[in-house]
Amino acid sequence: HGDMPGLVAGSKVLATSKGCPRQIVRYAPKAYGFQCHFEFTPESVDGMICSCSSELEEGKHLPYVQDAETLRKQDYSSMNKLLFDFLDYMEKIVAE
């Protein structure tokens, strides 16, 4: 998570956040860089918490690390929909 995608001529930043000024980058019509997790689900988050709880404890002083309770309370459905919409879009333009 310390890495951030670089920018090249023609690339465009599509999404930013307070913690990451290049959250999503379009490099070309069929090439994107993501610095976010649209794929999270309650089940996958719970699995990560169970497997990596020590990392949450170690990083609790960092500004963008959330505790297990906060992570479990999130509604991941809207970002999952965005992921599937994006994948449907990519499938369509790759087929063209």
Side-chain angles (χ1 to χ4, degrees):
H1 286 98
D3 294 336
M4 188 174 312
L7 299 176
V8 296
S11 60
K12 181 175 181 176
V13 176
L14 300 177
T16 65
S17 70
K18 188 175 178 183
C20 183
R22 295 190 294 271
Q23 198 83 50
I24 301 174
V25 177
R26 181 180 63 220
Y27 291 98
K30 298 178 184 176
Y32 290 76
F34 291 87
Q35 190 72 353
C36 51
H37 293 282
F38 288 115
E39 78 281 6
F40 282 173
T41 63
E43 296 80 18
S44 67
V45 167
D46 193 56
M48 287 185 284
I49 290 168
C50 291
S51 298
C52 306
S53 60
S54 63
E55 291 182 35
L56 291 177
E57 182 61 29
E58 291 167 11
K60 69 181 179 183
H61 67 283
L62 298 171
Y64 305 108
V65 175
Q66 297 174 328
D67 61 46
E69 183 179 341
T70 302
L71 291 167
R72 285 187 172 117
K73 286 182 180 178
Q74 298 295 323
D75 178 6
Y76 297 97
S77 60
S78 60
M79 66 184 198
N80 294 157
K81 182 179 179 338
L82 289 171
L83 172 62
F84 287 110
D85 289 348
F86 173 77
L87 292 173
D88 289 343
Y89 164 76
M90 291 301 290
E91 184 176 54
K92 179 182 170 188
I93 67 167
V94 167
E96 293 175 351

